[in-house]
Amino acid sequence: MHRAWRRVLNIALFLEIHEIISLLTLLTLTFLYSIHLNLGTFVETTREITVTAGLITRTVFLIMLLMLGMIVAFPKWRFIGYAQLVFRIMTSFLIMLLSYEIVMRYIQLMGHTMYDHLLQKWDSFLFFGKQPAEWMDKLNTLPMTSLLSGAYLAWFPFCYGTIFLLLIKSRRAALEYATVALTSFYIGNIGYVLVPAVGPLFTHEFSTVVGGLTAKMLDPGFYKPVANCFPSLHTCISVVMLVQVWKYFRKMIWVYTPVTALIVFSTVYLRIHYAVDVFVGVVLAILTTICIPVIMTLWERLREQKARSQFTMIPIEINDNSIGRQREA
């Protein structure tokens, strides 16, 4: 038992924190499906998701394949270490995207009760009896809607592009951002399971109509509502990006600050999220940006200790008699 544990630890020490969390997430989802549904459903769900993968998933997969090709074709390349890092990060992001879809299917198959009514009550309590989006009706103009629709969609290239931006500064910067972001994603998935909700756009009757992305999302041919409201990961990851850029690439803070503000505002204006989703998203971002770097530092120290212990020489006791026997021989 002791030897088996040591082997598991040695394998785990080879992995990064985000890789361990990704693998644990897949194991947890497999367990949930096997307990509440069955493994056949899990396999079929995974197969359907891979076949119907969207643009983002396919792009991440292509980047992963590109990095793998470079690793195999140019093993002595000067920047091969960066290619390996991006490959491993993109693999974890691919697992995250797969896990997200599996969680959405799980909530649907289990028929979980939606908690939109509860989130609406919290928003009404916080905003004087109205939904926050209703207070924003006065801002409802075509230029504002177009700007915020673009900001909401800009989140996707910023989310993945920040990896490469921070990679310019250092390996640690890119790895830390990826680990914090992926951890936030996985915790967000737990929130989706515990408090499933589809958002105010699909559950609340508004007196005005918002165009842009909001109108598109009401089209069943373009978008199907899923329980991905609580917390707002658009908000959470935006704040994570802002903090990591402030920490490692401060020159870009003038770009990320207004983009982050617009993205967060757009989630409520476009009626995609409740304000409470945004608040929880901010809290989650603060917690992960504080805790994950500490955990990563502890993990690196554990690796260093393990590496030193492997190269420690065992002292050999030598006496005059043994030397004399060696000389005689």
Side-chain angles (χ1 to χ4, degrees), residues 279-292:
F279 295 152
V280 175
V282 172
V283 172
L284 176 58
I286 293 172
L287 291 176
T288 52
T289 52
I290 292 173
C291 296
I292 294 303

Side-chain angles (χ1 to χ4, degrees), residues 279-314:
F279 295 152
V280 175
V282 172
V283 172
L284 176 58
I286 293 172
L287 291 176
T288 52
T289 52
I290 292 173
C291 296
I292 294 303
V294 175
I295 295 173
M296 289 179 64
T297 300
L298 294 174
W299 189 248
E300 289 168 1
R301 288 178 183 174
L302 183 60
R303 279 174 163 175
E304 292 173 359
Q305 291 175 2
K306 184 66 177 178
R308 284 197 299 267
S309 67
Q310 290 177 345
F311 290 99
T312 301
M313 298 299 292
I314 301 174

Side-chain angles (χ1 to χ4, degrees), residues 159-177:
C159 176
Y160 296 98
T162 302
I163 298 171
F164 299 94
L165 176 70
L166 293 179
L167 195 58
I168 296 172
K169 294 300 286 186
S170 68
R171 180 184 183 278
R172 167 72 189 205
L175 181 59
E176 184 177 311
Y177 163 69

Side-chain angles (χ1 to χ4, degrees), residues 173-289:
L175 181 59
E176 184 177 311
Y177 163 69
T179 306
V180 174
L182 285 163
T183 304
S184 301
F185 274 118
Y186 289 127
I187 295 175
N189 283 343
I190 296 174
Y192 297 156
V193 174
L194 296 179
V195 189
V198 295
L201 179 60
F202 306 102
T203 57
H204 184 77
E205 293 186 6
F206 292 93
S207 58
T208 59
V209 177
V210 176
L213 182 61
T214 300
K216 276 285 187 181
M217 292 181 70
L218 288 172
D219 180 3
F222 177 80
Y223 181 80
K224 293 181 180 179
V226 290
N228 63 349
C229 233
F230 184 91
S232 168
L233 287 180
H234 254 66
T235 297
C236 177
I237 303 303
S238 296
V239 174
V240 167
M241 287 189 286
L242 184 65
V243 172
Q244 295 303 118
V245 168
W246 171 263
K247 186 175 180 180
Y248 288 108
F249 210 136
R250 198 160 296 184
K251 290 181 180 179
M252 292 296 293
I253 201 68
W254 304 110
V255 175
Y256 275 77
T257 299
V259 169
T260 298
L262 288 172
I263 290 173
V264 173
F265 188 73
S266 72
T267 61
V268 179
Y269 175 90
L270 296 174
R271 303 171 179 177
I272 297 172
H273 281 285
Y274 301 100
V276 69
D277 303 337
V278 173
F279 295 152
V280 175
V282 172
V283 172
L284 176 58
I286 293 172
L287 291 176
T288 52
T289 52

